Amino acid sequence: AVVSTQSTGYAVVSGGRDGRLVAWDVRRARSAVCYFDQENREGEEKAHNGAITSLSQTQDGLFVLTTGQDKQLRCWDVAGASNTFTNFGGSCCSSEVKKVESAISVNSCYPGLVYVPCGGEVKVYDILTGRHLSDYSVHFSGVNAVQYNWHFPALYTCSADGAMRVLEPMREAEERVPGTVEDQTVPGDAWSDSD
C-alpha cells in the first residue's frame, strides 16, 4: 500500500508484507528517507509484526494509520516518523494477509475517525484518543474496503458477499418524528444504511 503525503508533493509512505513502513522522497534515486518502528527505536525497521494490510492518511497528511497482520491498528506522526502510541485496544482488526482498506473521516474532532474493516463489521475509532466508538454490522461476509467521502458525508463499504453499502448520517428530520416510538428512544448511532 502507498499514500502520497498531503504536506509535500514529493513524499510517499509505503507499507509492505515484510511489516516495514517506509517514507520515500520520489525526487531521488534510492530515496528511502526513513523507516518507522513500532517502538520508535533507532535502527529498527518494523512497524508491524507481519504484513501491513491497510495504510490510510488524515486529510492534512500529518498522520498515517496502518493495520497489520499482527491485529494492531497504529497511528504514525509523519513529520516525526514516529509511532504516536495511541491505544486502540487489542485485536482491533483481522489477521488475514489480504489487503483491506481503512478510511478516515473529518468531523468535529480533529483529525477525525478511522473506520477499520473487521470481518463483516466496520469498527470506528477516534484517531487521537484511540477510543472505540462503534461497530457497524453491514455485510454477511468479510468487509474488504471502506471509503469515506469527505465532500458529502457518506461511508462506502464493499464486501466478499458482492454487495456495496452506503452509510449516511441521519438527518435531523429523520431522527425523531414527534409522537412516535422513535421519538421516545435514542438511536444507537447516527448513521443509516441507505440501500
Side-chain angles (χ1 to χ4, degrees), residues 64-112:
V64 168
L65 285 98
T66 58
T67 58
Q69 191 179 9
D70 58 4
K71 298 183 179 183
Q72 295 299 311
L73 170 62
R74 294 203 170 92
C75 181
W76 305 91
D77 175 1
V78 175
S82 60
N83 186 350
T84 64
F85 293 108
T86 303
N87 183 3
F88 293 100
S91 214
C92 64
C93 45
S94 173
S95 64
E96 296 178 24
V97 179
K98 70 174 188 165
K99 181 183 182 299
V100 295
E101 196 62 49
S102 297
I104 296 174
S105 71
V106 176
N107 61 7
S108 58
C109 63
Y110 174 78

Side-chain angles (χ1 to χ4, degrees), residues 18-190:
D18 59 0
R20 288 180 168 183
L21 186 64
V22 184
W24 303 87
D25 183 341
V26 297
R27 299 173 299 178
R28 301 184 180 126
R30 297 185 186 170
S31 59
V33 175
C34 65
Y35 295 87
F36 295 75
D37 181 65
Q38 60 190 329
E39 302 297 330
N40 290 340
R41 292 180 294 205
E42 291 291 322
E44 299 293 322
E45 301 175 348
K46 284 295 232 186
H48 286 274
N49 296 321
I52 293 176
T53 57
S54 174
L55 177 62
S56 304
Q57 70 175 328
T58 56
Q59 190 175 23
D60 57 14
L62 297 178
F63 299 98
V64 168
L65 285 98
T66 58
T67 58
Q69 191 179 9
D70 58 4
K71 298 183 179 183
Q72 295 299 311
L73 170 62
R74 294 203 170 92
C75 181
W76 305 91
D77 175 1
V78 175
S82 60
N83 186 350
T84 64
F85 293 108
T86 303
N87 183 3
F88 293 100
S91 214
C92 64
C93 45
S94 173
S95 64
E96 296 178 24
V97 179
K98 70 174 188 165
K99 181 183 182 299
V100 295
E101 196 62 49
S102 297
I104 296 174
S105 71
V106 176
N107 61 7
S108 58
C109 63
Y110 174 78
L113 305 175
V114 61
Y115 301 88
V116 181
C118 184
E121 295 182 328
V122 176
K123 294 182 177 277
V124 185
Y125 297 91
D126 181 287
I127 291 174
L128 290 181
T129 66
R131 193 169 127 229
H132 179 230
L133 301 174
S134 185
D135 291 329
Y136 299 131
S137 296
V138 292
H139 291 279
F140 295 112
S141 63
V143 177
N144 295 326
V146 292
Q147 179 66 47
Y148 185 81
N149 184 340
W150 292 338
H151 302 291
F152 175 77
L155 182 70
Y156 304 94
T157 66
C158 63
S159 168
D161 63 11
M164 182 179 141
R165 302 267 191 252
V166 179
L167 300 172
E168 299 173 324
M170 294 175 75
R171 293 178 257 311
E172 289 288 325
E174 294 174 0
E175 287 185 28
R176 301 227 192 288
V177 177
T180 64
V181 175
E182 290 82 11
D183 186 39
Q184 308 301 318
T185 60
V186 177
D189 61 57

